[in-house]
Amino acid sequence: MDSTFRRTPNIHLQDLIDGLTSGNRVFLSKSITLVESKREDDKKLGAELIDQIIGNTGKSLRIGITGVPGVGKSTFIEAFGKKLTAAGKEVAVLSVDPSSNRTRGSILGDKTRMDELSKDPNAFIRPSAAGSSLGGVASNTREAILLCEAAGFDIIIVETVGVGQSETVVKDMVDYFLLLMLAGGGDELQGIKRGIMEMADHIVINKADGSNIKAAKKAREDYKNAVHLFPPNESDWIIPVGVCSAIEKTGIDEVWIEIEKYESHIHGNGWFEENRKRQSIRWFHERIQAKLEETFYAKPNIKKEIKKREELISSQKLSVRKAVDELFS
Ligand code: GDP
C-alpha cells in the first residue's frame, strides 16, 4: 500500500471507498492489498474500509472450485469465466493456497494460467493471498470476496490451489462448491477423500475429450452411484455428476445450468441465507480465536517466559497448570 494512504487516512479512505464502489479495478486491488497488510496502521484502515462497505456486500454468487493439481482447474476457470463474461457477468477469481510461501502472483506469475481471462475487462484475477496460517489466508480471502462484491462483481470464483485442508475453508466461504475430477484413477489415486466428495454441490469429470471420453462417461456413472449412497446434505440437494472438457470447452454450459438450478433450489428452501449466516458467525468465532492467540503471543518477553517455564516443567519443578496461570496473570 502506498504511504499516502497512511498519512491522511480519513481523506484517502473515502477516495478508496469511492473508487472501489465505482468498480475501479485499481482501487479494488489497492483495497485488497490494504486488508492483507500486516502493518498496524494499514490494519486499522483496512478494518475501517471493510466496515464501511459491508452494507454493499453479499450480492454475488460465490463459487468454490477444487480438485487435485493438474485436474484442469485453471483451464476450466478460464473457459467458464469467459462464458460468464460473454453473458454480461463480471467475474472475479480469487484463490486459497495454504501451502504456499509463494509471493503474490502465484496465479498471474504463471503466465499460462487464465491467460485470456486475465485480459478480459469484465474479469478480475487476484493472486493468492499471502499469509502465515491457513486461517489468516482464509480470512484475507473472505475480505477480498467482500471487496469484490462492493466493486460490483456478480460472480466470485474461489479456487483452491493447495491440496488437503484448503477444501474445507473454501467450502466455508462459498455458496456452491464444484469438485473437478479425472476419470481413470481411483479416488485414492486422485488424492480425493470421500469427505471432499460429500462436501461438493456438483462433481464434474474433466478432460472428457479424445480417447478419454469413454472413461469419463464410465466414471460419471460410477460417481452417480456413489453419490446416491452419501448421507443427505444440509442443503437437501442430490449432487449432480457431469463431464466436461475445459480444453475443448464442452460441458461448460451444463455446469452453469446446474449452478442455476442449485441457486434456485437453495433460495427456495432458505439454505442460501442460512448458510451465509452460519459462515459469517463461524468466521467471527475463528477471528476471536486468532485474535486471542495473537494478543497472547504479542505480550512483552512472552517467548522468554515460555522458554523458562518449559525447563521448569520438564524437570518437574512446575506444573503445567500453574505455568499457564502465571503467563495469563
Ligand atoms: P490445475 O492444476 O488444476 O489448475 O490444472 P491446469 O488447468 O493447469 O491443467 C493441467 C494440465 O491439464 C494442462 O496441461 C492442461 O492443458 C490440461 N488440461 C486441462 N483441462 C483439460 C481438458 O479438458 N482436456 C485435456 N485433454 N487436458 C486438459
Side-chain angles (χ1 to χ4, degrees), residues 68-75 113 159 206-207 209 244-247:
V68 293
V71 70
K73 292 182 293 299
S74 52
T75 313
R113 302 197 93 216
E159 176 197 13
N206 189 34
K207 307 198 185 181
D209 46 48
C244 78
S245 166
I247 276 199

Side-chain angles (χ1 to χ4, degrees), residues 65-78 110 112-114 159-161 180 182 205-210 212 244-250 252:
I65 298 188
T66 194
V68 293
V71 70
K73 292 182 293 299
S74 52
T75 313
F76 177 86
I77 294 170
E78 167 112 318
D110 181 351
T112 58
R113 302 197 93 216
M114 302 176 213
E159 176 197 13
T160 61
V161 178
L180 290 180
L182 295 171
I205 296 134
N206 189 34
K207 307 198 185 181
D209 46 48
N212 203 29
C244 78
S245 166
I247 276 199
E248 293 188 350
K249 301 184 172 49
T250 52
I252 310 286

